[in-house]
């Protein structure tokens, strides 16, 4: 009896991304219809199979797939791009289907998040970055500045640090006079030969 393959999915306004997590898959057989995916393959002497009844409709002719060493990726073209995001991948809950949070983009943030690298296409596997993560700019963009009490003015920040017992931030900030008195007991370092 075939095993259920682990399935990850994410979506964008125009496509659904599906990943079957089966390493070194052989005899891959995928039947893609408008409302379903029938998937079968073999790996490491085991058979894997599942049928996914989809929540929305696809355009099979405009969809792509790629068998890679660690997984099988599919980029499925949605029939109704204006219909918004689906409420889930399948019409009924399936325990082996989970959200791919590394590729997920929220519906209200989907504009400008179209770069999918080589997902669902042939090419060198594993050469892309962490898909869906974006740069630090996007992560930090909405966080705003830190309130350091001085409003970001260097002189006010230096005054705040001085009030806390610090010497401030400057090139002349070094050990205060008399701080090196306990250094006298330190032995000198000798190079080994």
């Amino acid at each position: 009896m075939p095993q259920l393959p682990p399935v990850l999915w994410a979506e964008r306004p125009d496509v659904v991304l599906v990943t079957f997590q089966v390493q070194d898959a052989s005899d891959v057989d995928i039947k893609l219809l408008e409302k379903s995916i029938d998937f079968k393959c073999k790996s490491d002497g085991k058979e894997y199979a599942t049928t996914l009844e989809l929540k929305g409709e696809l355009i099979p002719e405009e969809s792509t797939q790629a068998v890679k060493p660690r997984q099988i990726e599919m980029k499925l073209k949605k029939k109704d791009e204006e219909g918004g995001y689906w409420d889930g991948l399948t019409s009924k809950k399936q325990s082996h289907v989970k959200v791919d949070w590394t590729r997920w983009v929220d519906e209200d943030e989907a504009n400008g998040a179209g770069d999918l690298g080589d997902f669902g296409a042939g090419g060198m596997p594993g050469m892309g970055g962490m898909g869906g993560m974006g740069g630090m700019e996007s992560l930090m963009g909405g966080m705003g500045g830190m309130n350091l009490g001085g409003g970001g003015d260097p002189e006010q920040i230096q005054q705040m640090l001085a009030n806390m017992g610090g010497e401030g931030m400057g090139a002349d900030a070094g050990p205060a006079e008399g701080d090196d008195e306990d250094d006298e007991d330190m032995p000198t370092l000798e190079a080994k030969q």
Side-chain angles (χ1 to χ4, degrees), residues 51-72:
T51 298
L52 304 175
E53 299 295 330
L54 305 173
K55 280 213 174 180
E57 290 187 38
L58 305 172
I59 305 173
E61 306 81 41
E62 294 182 29
S63 300
T64 61
Q65 65 189 36
V67 178
K68 298 190 175 184
R70 299 183 60 82
Q71 60 202 16
I72 295 92

Side-chain angles (χ1 to χ4, degrees), residues 112 115 130-142:
D115 182 24
M130 291 178 59
M133 292 299 286
M136 286 301 286
E137 309 84 45
S138 64
L139 181 62
M140 302 298 285

Side-chain angles (χ1 to χ4, degrees), residues 20-184:
F20 294 94
Q21 294 185 300
V22 180
Q23 292 187 20
D24 301 321
S26 63
D27 300 330
V28 177
D29 181 24
I30 301 173
K31 289 183 179 60
L32 181 59
L33 303 173
E34 283 188 359
K35 291 280 292 172
S36 68
I37 303 170
D38 188 31
F39 174 85
K40 295 177 186 172
C41 76
K42 293 179 182 174
S43 174
D44 199 26
K46 299 175 187 167
E47 290 185 39
Y48 293 88
T50 189
T51 298
L52 304 175
E53 299 295 330
L54 305 173
K55 280 213 174 180
E57 290 187 38
L58 305 172
I59 305 173
E61 306 81 41
E62 294 182 29
S63 300
T64 61
Q65 65 189 36
V67 178
K68 298 190 175 184
R70 299 183 60 82
Q71 60 202 16
I72 295 92
E73 298 176 346
M74 299 181 75
K75 188 185 321 183
L76 309 173
K77 181 74 172 164
K78 288 182 179 179
K79 190 169 193 173
D80 183 13
E81 293 180 29
E82 304 300 318
Y85 274 37
W86 296 355
D87 200 15
L89 178 64
T90 58
S91 54
K92 62 180 181 177
K93 178 106 172 109
Q94 292 182 289
S95 63
H96 65 292
V97 177
K98 306 214 181 307
V99 173
D100 186 349
W101 293 114
T102 62
R103 287 182 168 64
W104 190 268
V105 175
D106 286 335
E107 190 168 4
D108 58 344
E109 297 174 355
N111 292 341
D115 182 24
L116 298 173
D118 68 345
F119 185 89
M124 296 292 290
M127 294 302 286
M130 291 178 59
M133 292 299 286
M136 286 301 286
E137 309 84 45
S138 64
L139 181 62
M140 302 298 285
M143 293 185 67
M146 291 181 6
N147 184 1
L148 298 175
D153 181 12
E155 289 180 24
Q156 289 180 339
I157 294 171
Q158 209 161 1
Q159 180 63 41
M160 182 180 70
L161 290 171
N163 290 341
M164 294 181 349
E167 292 292 321
M169 303 181 301
D172 62 340
E177 285 188 39
D179 279 354
D180 56 345
E181 64 189 42
D182 58 339
D183 290 346
E184 293 171 11

